[in-house]
């Protein structure tokens, strides 16, 4: 908690590492001394090829623009459990015609309802 007003505070949310894919960012205009600021974002449909957890990092003042007593407390992370991309049979990040062809040649690979639900999706990361 600071004792002076902070301005233009860069805030980022990244995927898997501190310098990973940026999934959200906002500049907080001002935080008064002794005050807190909540930042909320919506990340729709986080997915992974195998359903394994994804680590999300929140980073504030990444470039150390704000002079602080403790510069070591500007990050936090949490693991989220995304839904698995059920129709991405060839593991290329989307559910498309190639996956449909593979499904038609081996119907035991995946449940047809699961495939139909994800067909056309490209969010398997």
């Amino acid at each position: 908690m600071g004792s002076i007003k902070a301005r233009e505070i860069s805030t980022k949310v990244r995927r898997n590492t501190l310098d990973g894919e940026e999934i959200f960012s906002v500049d907080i205009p001002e935080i008064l001394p002794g005050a807190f600021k909540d930042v909320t974002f919506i990340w729709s449909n986080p997915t992974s090829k195998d359903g394994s957890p994804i680590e999300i990092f929140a980073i504030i003042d990444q470039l150390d623009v704000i002079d602080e007593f403790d510069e070591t407390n500007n990050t936090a992370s949490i693991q989220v459990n995304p839904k698995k991309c059920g129709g991405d049979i060839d593991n290329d990040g989307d559910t498309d015609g190639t996956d449909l062809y593979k499904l038609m040649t081996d119907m035991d690979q995946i449940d047809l309802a699961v495939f139909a639900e994800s067909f056309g999706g490209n969010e398997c990361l």
Side-chain angles (χ1 to χ4, degrees):
M1 191 166 4
S3 60
I4 62 171
K5 185 187 313 184
R7 295 182 184 271
E8 298 301 319
I9 304 110
S10 170
T11 306
K12 298 187 182 308
V13 178
R14 296 186 177 273
R15 180 184 176 126
N16 293 329
T17 64
L18 286 171
D19 60 352
E21 172 194 0
E22 184 178 300
I23 57 176
F24 175 79
S25 75
V26 66
D27 287 334
I28 301 169
E30 175 179 273
I31 300 178
L32 298 174
F36 294 90
K37 177 70 176 172
D38 289 328
V39 174
T40 304
F41 74 99
I42 297 173
W43 182 27
S44 63
N45 197 25
T47 58
S48 69
K49 287 183 182 180
D50 60 1
S52 61
I54 298 170
E55 193 162 10
I56 302 299
F57 290 84
I59 306 133
I60 188 165
D61 188 29
Q62 186 171 15
L63 300 176
D64 290 327
V65 173
I66 300 168
D67 189 24
E68 303 169 70
F69 175 73
D70 183 358
E71 294 283 357
T72 66
N73 64 353
N74 291 352
T75 63
S77 68
I78 188 171
Q79 281 195 342
V80 295
N81 294 310
K83 74 176 195 174
K84 184 177 178 188
C85 291
D88 186 19
I89 297 169
D90 62 358
N91 292 318
D92 67 347
D94 59 19
T95 305
D96 59 9
T98 304
D99 299 299
L100 179 59
Y101 175 77
K102 289 182 180 262
L103 176 65
M104 290 170 48
T105 59
D106 183 2
M107 292 295 284
D108 293 330
Q109 291 190 51
I110 189 172
D111 180 272
L112 187 56
V114 171
F115 181 82
E117 181 181 319
S118 62
F119 189 77
N122 61 0
E123 296 178 345
C124 301
L125 304 172

